[in-house]
């Protein structure tokens, strides 16, 4: 699933064919194995480096085509700069850089061996492989012709040749599960809404059963029986019926309560009767990025057999403006019993989250809750595309999540919650209204969601509107959808619950 690249590990040896990647550092030194890729290679490297002004800096590449004294097609020298200063995330990015430099190669060997003779650790090798896989992800299922230039459509075989190949291969088994989870999330977000309605989304989640996830699909009747008036209000303007899907992974002790992940899954957000402007509305096919991240996370934890109890829930609806659509001013009763005055039908995500939060708390009594949602344009105004907004009612949980963000490069920035902001969603006619006025829109949205968290359960809300899709291309992602949240939350689970 992780793109068109197949990655394997082999014992350290000097390759002779295809495209070969070797490592160097800021001294331009090579390991013994790497120095043998061509006759007199250390001298060739020094000369070529001088011409190309290549200094072995971290994440820098030097490309040598048809190298003399070698039967290889191409040798690419990869800079580590000062290798000891590299964080795990730098190894991931390095894998991404390599993935971006495969060009039309079909057979690739990476000689993963340091010039300073310090072994490349298994987790570093696996991070590199993961970065490579993430970078090679492509959403091209609707392309009927291959691209004119660049990477070939057919699959590439990459062999990572390293001294610790057995341990690295074991670590890669885990990391490839997570890369596959991210690819699963990206596929869902990239898919156009005509192909992916609530029912089709739910059907795709059934595939998680093969990994041992218990998947329950609630249809419209079941949602009505559960009295999910807020979610159903959003859905009622669409001809496509809603779904809620609960995914359960039991990898921990039977008696332990789970951690819950909750995702906004608006398969398309027109705004409803409070309709959005036409320009850019196509991006709202990605308004299920939170739900996709929860799905990708469930894939990841199940495929790597996480030793924790985890439950995921997604609310899948389409926000459309037909004759049945809800109107501004309508008052709906949420599953929690709290009433909501819907003053803007485009503030729909919080209505969906409210009911699935209540549902999952009743059903699973989670110890912690993390929700993810492409919830507000305001968070993009505040943070742009490089941090997701984090709202959290417990400092230690916020610290754990932020640490997972730094570790994976899926960064979070904490935003405030405060009773003063909560006042802004008081309603004259109901218990609350679904908008808070012009300022602090991401915060009032978070305050709204907090009203559905019971008994001070540790809870975090991640507003991923700026990071789940449409973020700039990076070393590890070239597609519109990023899969943001899968690696972050997998790391959070590993560090905190396993
Ligand atoms: N799905 C949007 C938020 C969004 C905007 C996601 C841009 C990704 C990119 C959400 O449902 C929405 O429309 N929010 C409104 C809330 C407002 C009406 C209070 C917004 O942000 O404008
Ligand atoms: Mn909206
Ligand atoms: Zn939305």
């Amino acid at each position: 699933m992780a793109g068109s690249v197949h990655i394997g590990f082999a014992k350290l040896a000097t390759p002779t064919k295809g495209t070969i990647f070797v490592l160097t550092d800021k001294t331009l030194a090579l390991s013994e194995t790497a120095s043998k890729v061509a006759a007199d290679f250390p001298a060739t490297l020094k000369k070529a480096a001088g011409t190309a002004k290549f200094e072995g800096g971290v994440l820098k590449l030097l490309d040598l085509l048809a190298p003399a004294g070698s039967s290889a097609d191409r040798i690419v020298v990869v800079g580590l700069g000062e290798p000891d200063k590299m964080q795990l995330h730098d190894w991931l990015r390095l894998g991404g850089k390599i993935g971006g430099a495969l060009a039309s190669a079909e057979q690739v060997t990476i000689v993963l061996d340091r010039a300073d003779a310090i072994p490349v650790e298994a987790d570093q090798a696996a991070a590199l492989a993961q970065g490579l896989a993430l970078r090679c992800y492509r959403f091209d299922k609707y392309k009927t012709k291959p691209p004119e230039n660049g990477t070939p459509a057919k699959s590439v075989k990459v062999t990572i040749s390293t001294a610790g190949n057995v341990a690295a291969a074991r670590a890669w088994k885990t990391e490839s599960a997570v890369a596959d989870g991210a690819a699963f999330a990206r596929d869902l977000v990239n898919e156009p809404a005509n192909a992916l309605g609530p029912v089709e989304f739910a059907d795709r989640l059934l595939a998680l059963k093969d990994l041992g996830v218990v998947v329950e699909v609630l249809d419209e009747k079941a949602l009505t029986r559960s009295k999910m008036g807020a979610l159903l209000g959003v859905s009622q303007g669409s001809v496509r019926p809603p779904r809620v899907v609960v995914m359960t992974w039991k990898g921990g002790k039977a008696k332990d309560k789970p951690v819950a992940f909750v995702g906004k899954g608006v398969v398309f957000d027109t705004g409803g009767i409070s309709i959005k402007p036409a320009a850019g509305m196509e991006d709202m096919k990605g308004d299920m990025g939170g739900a996709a991240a929860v799905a990708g996370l469930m894939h990841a934890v199940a495929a790597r057999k996480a030793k924790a109890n985890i439950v995921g829930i997604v609310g899948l609806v389409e926000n459309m403006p037909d004759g049945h659509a809800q109107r501004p001013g309508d008052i709906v009763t949420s599953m929690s019993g709290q009433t909501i005055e819907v003053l803007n039908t485009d503030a729909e995500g919080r209505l969906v989250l409210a009911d699935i939060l209540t549902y999952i708390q009743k059903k699973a009594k989670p110890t912690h809750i993390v929700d993810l949602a492409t919830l507000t344009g305001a968070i993009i105004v505040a943070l742009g595309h490089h941090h997701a907004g984090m709202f959290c009612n417990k400092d230690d949980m916020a610290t754990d999540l932020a640490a997972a963000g730094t570790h994976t490069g899926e960064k979070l920035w904490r935003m405030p919650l405060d009773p003063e902001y909560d006042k802004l969603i008081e309603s004259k006619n109901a218990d609350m209204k679904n908008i808070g006025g012009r300022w602090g829109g991401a915060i009032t949205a978070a305050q709204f969601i907090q009203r559905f968290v019971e008994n001070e359960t540790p809870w975090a809300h991640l507003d991923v509107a700026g990071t789940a899709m449409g973020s700039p291309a990076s070393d590890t992602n070239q597609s519109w959808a990023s899969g943001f949240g899968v690696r972050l939350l997998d790391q959070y689970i590993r560090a905190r619950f396993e």
Side-chain angles (χ1 to χ4, degrees):
M1 216 183 290
S4 55
V5 62
H6 182 269
I7 301 171
F9 288 84
K11 275 194 202 141
L12 187 62
T14 305
T16 55
K17 293 252 166 348
T19 295
I20 303 169
F21 288 83
V22 296
L23 309 184
T24 190
D25 54 32
K26 67 170 199 180
T27 70
L28 293 183
L30 293 161
S31 77
E32 205 187 313
T33 314
S35 68
K36 289 189 207 138
V37 290
D40 214 9
F41 191 59
T44 308
L45 169 58
K46 290 246 153 66
K47 199 166 165 212
T51 312
K53 297 205 163 52
F54 172 79
E55 295 174 331
V58 66
L59 302 172
K60 299 281 189 257
L61 304 184
L62 174 66
D63 211 330
L64 302 168
L65 298 173
S70 167
S71 49
D73 302 326
R74 194 177 150 215
I75 299 172
V76 187
V77 185
V78 178
L80 303 183
E82 296 175 68
D84 288 331
K85 290 201 174 149
M86 286 175 72
Q87 304 292 310
L88 207 54
H89 183 237
D90 297 318
W91 289 93
L92 180 96
R93 286 182 61 202
L94 190 66
K97 279 269 189 277
I98 293 173
L102 297 181
S104 58
E106 284 170 22
Q107 187 192 341
V108 176
T109 310
I110 303 170
V111 181
L112 198 61
D113 192 30
R114 280 171 58 167
D116 57 11
I118 295 172
V120 176
E121 305 286 342
D123 60 344
Q124 295 169 339
L128 181 137
Q130 191 186 56
L132 206 157
L134 289 168
R135 174 60 178 257
C136 291
Y137 170 86
R138 229 154 245 115
F139 184 73
D140 55 11
K141 64 188 275 204
Y142 294 105
K143 291 266 191 196
T144 63
K145 296 179 199 78
E148 273 173 27
N149 51 14
T151 43
K154 65 177 144 181
S155 118
V156 188
K157 190 167 176 282
V158 178
T159 304
I160 301 180
S161 174
T162 186
N165 63 307
V166 175
R170 203 180 309 121
W172 170 232
K173 247 186 117 176
T174 299
E175 300 311 330
S176 69
V178 181
D180 286 347
F184 186 45
R186 287 177 184 178
D187 276 345
L188 288 164
V189 174
N190 281 321
E191 195 69 48
N194 61 332
L196 196 77
V199 172
E200 292 81 7
F201 196 129
D203 283 347
R204 289 231 196 160
L205 299 185
L206 294 176
L208 294 171
K209 284 184 177 178
D210 295 344
L211 296 171
V213 178
V214 179
V215 183
E216 297 159 83
V217 179
L218 308 183
D219 62 11
E220 199 167 6
K221 249 195 196 151
L223 303 181
T224 307
R225 228 179 293 124
S226 293
K227 299 198 164 65
M228 293 201 198
L231 181 147
L232 288 165
V234 176
S235 170
Q236 76 192 29
S238 171
V239 293
R240 301 202 275 186
R243 293 288 184 268
V244 167
V245 182
V246 181
M247 297 157 278
T248 307
W249 170 253
K250 287 187 180 134
K253 296 194 187 101
K255 64 166 180 33
D256 286 353
K257 294 289 179 221
V259 188
F261 297 91
V262 177
K264 169 181 173 183
V266 177
V267 298
F268 195 82
D269 180 14
T270 64
I273 295 298
S274 313
I275 199 162
K276 288 181 180 296
M281 200 201 276
E282 66 276 11
D283 282 357
M284 288 302 114
K285 74 170 185 176
D287 207 19
M288 25 56 71
V294 171
L297 179 67
M298 295 311 296
H299 179 108
V301 295
R304 72 171 180 80
K305 300 195 166 46
K307 291 194 171 58
N309 294 336
I310 297 155
V311 62
I313 184 167
V314 294
L316 305 170
V317 301
E318 182 173 46
N319 190 20
M320 293 288 260
D322 83 354
H324 295 107
Q326 69 180 344
R327 293 146 290 254
D330 283 5
I331 293 175
V332 295
T333 303
S334 66
M335 184 181 176
S336 72
Q338 299 177 90
T339 56
I340 305 160
E341 189 177 19
V342 180
L343 291 184
N344 188 319
T345 65
D346 196 13
E348 85 297 341
R350 62 200 76 183
L351 300 170
V352 174
L353 289 171
D355 278 344
I356 58 177
L357 270 166
T358 301
Y359 185 88
I360 204 62
Q361 289 172 99
K362 282 218 160 65
K363 183 184 160 80
K365 309 259 177 301
T367 62
H368 296 70
I369 303 169
V370 180
D371 79 72
L372 298 101
T374 49
L375 203 65
T376 66
I379 201 68
I380 313 179
V381 174
L383 299 177
H385 295 288
H386 299 292
H387 285 82
M390 166 176 55
F391 299 83
C392 189
N393 63 354
K394 296 280 184 285
D395 290 344
D396 54 348
M397 184 178 185
T399 304
D400 290 342
L401 282 164
T406 307
H407 188 92
T408 56
E410 293 191 332
K411 293 180 283 191
L412 301 176
W413 195 260
R414 192 172 183 186
M415 301 282 290
L417 292 161
D418 192 294
E420 293 296 338
Y421 295 109
D422 196 64
K423 283 185 201 157
L424 302 176
I425 54 170
E426 286 299 321
S427 156
K428 270 202 199 118
N429 303 309
D431 296 337
M432 67 195 89
K433 55 185 179 183
N434 75 330
I435 50 171
R438 184 154 161 69
W439 307 115
I443 308 174
T444 46
Q447 294 291 163
F448 182 98
I449 297 166
Q450 189 175 28
R451 290 189 178 208
F452 297 87
V453 176
E454 297 162 15
N455 310 319
E456 293 264 319
T457 305
W459 154 79
H461 156 58
L462 309 183
D463 193 334
V464 296
T467 51
M469 72 251 194
S471 42
S474 72
D475 291 331
T476 51
N477 181 43
Q478 299 283 307
S479 112
W480 182 71
S482 65
F484 186 98
V486 176
R487 290 189 302 112
L488 166 80
L489 295 173
D490 181 77
Q491 174 59 30
Y492 171 62
I493 291 166
R494 279 193 219 186
R496 177 65 182 75
F497 299 100
E498 293 184 75

